[in-house]
Amino acid sequence: MTAPQAVVLVGGEGTRLRPLTDTRPKPMMPLVDRPFVAHQLDHLRRHGVQDVVFSCGYRPDALREFFGDGEGHGVRLRYVVDPEPLGTAGAVRNARDLIDADRILVFNGDILTDLDLTALVAQHERTGAEGTVALTPVDDPSAYGLVRLHDDRSVQEFLEKPSREDLRPGEPYLINAGTYVLEPAALSRIPAGVKVSIERQTFPLIAAERALYGFPSDAYWRDIGTPDSYLDAHMDVLSAAVGTNSPAGDAYLGPGTQVADGARVGPLASLGPGCVVADGAAVDRSVVGPGGRIGARASLRRAILGEGVVVGEEAVLHDGVVVGDRATVPAGVRLAGPVRVPTGSTAAEPAPAG
Ligand code: GTP
């Protein structure tokens, strides 16, 4: 049995994280001191997986430039690029020429987890499955793929984004955690060169033949696909709720970042390299990209700032505000809630209602 290879899907447009993903693919979004997908490579390496294919689509150059052939990250890394968006199954199929292992591990490129991959593969072998899907418990499965299992853990039902009628209140919901083990037979089901969704098309097909299994686990799990979950992932890394190779602590300050004596940074703030925080400013539970300038007495709370954002004196960014790269929030402007400031723009305060 050869060591498993991994295919990491990193080609989506990341629309829910716009405008931050206007300028970078979601897997290159920083998570504390490194791009998000670097944490996934760390996780793979811990389980002995050293041969990785990045299946790219949207903005592949940023990934290539940062990771190269993977040598600096302890893995052999190769790339395939969708000629056009191929969907989650098409993107796996597109990597087929680079796969020579007996089986592959597939990862969505936006999942932070400490899942025991070794145990996942062991169950896959034991059951003789064609595919095994890692599952995680959630309270509300409606934004995910709800999976129901038979007693032997074979998949009974795979319902992508279930509607209210699909749900049975009180049921312990298990969802697709975005990590799979696939046999070559599963890959052979995916037609080449066309857009195919693994969740909506391939898995229901395999499940119908009772060859798809689930692997439920209480491991730490979070997808970083929305501003809220992206922020929460930072909180979890900084508070060591999940073990990573990033530093935990009240705040992370990138190299060269300067914080004035009278400013308060933290709890749970992450500032990229080369930021400046002026006197009297407060930054908590927020993420500030490289080169951010936070003016005197400005206040950030649950805000996400892209690269090179300038926040003026006494500006207020609270409760889910997302600011695109190189945008400016002028002095005194107050923004709160799920406001998105476009890349390179100057934010204006919302007009008072009425
Ligand atoms: P949203 O637009 O916000 O839904 O994000 P997304 O485009 O990343 O889609 P989603 O979160 O459903 O994708 C799950 C994973 O698959 C992510 O890691 C994506 O990068 C990846 N992915 C999604 N679609 C494609 C595709 O067509 N090609 C490739 N190569 N990867 C994809």
Side-chain angles (χ1 to χ4, degrees), residues 8-18 26-27 40 54-58 80-82 84-88 90-92 94 107-111 160-161 195 199 223 225-226:
V8 186
L9 304 181
V10 290
E13 289 188 27
T15 53
R16 289 166 296 161
L17 279 176
R18 285 180 185 158
K26 181 164 57 176
Q40 291 189 298
F54 275 172
S55 182
C56 309
Y58 178 70
V80 290
V81 183
D82 296 357
E84 69 231 33
L86 291 174
T88 43
V92 179
N94 197 32
F107 294 82
N108 281 355
D110 57 356
I111 305 294
E160 187 63 17
K161 312 248 162 40
K195 188 166 185 174
E199 302 89 347
D223 81 294
T226 66

Side-chain angles (χ1 to χ4, degrees), residues 299-303 316-321 334-338:
S299 171
L300 271 57
R301 191 178 64 216
R302 283 194 76 84
V316 173
L317 305 175
H318 282 181
D319 304 331
V321 175
R334 305 171 73 88
L335 303 172

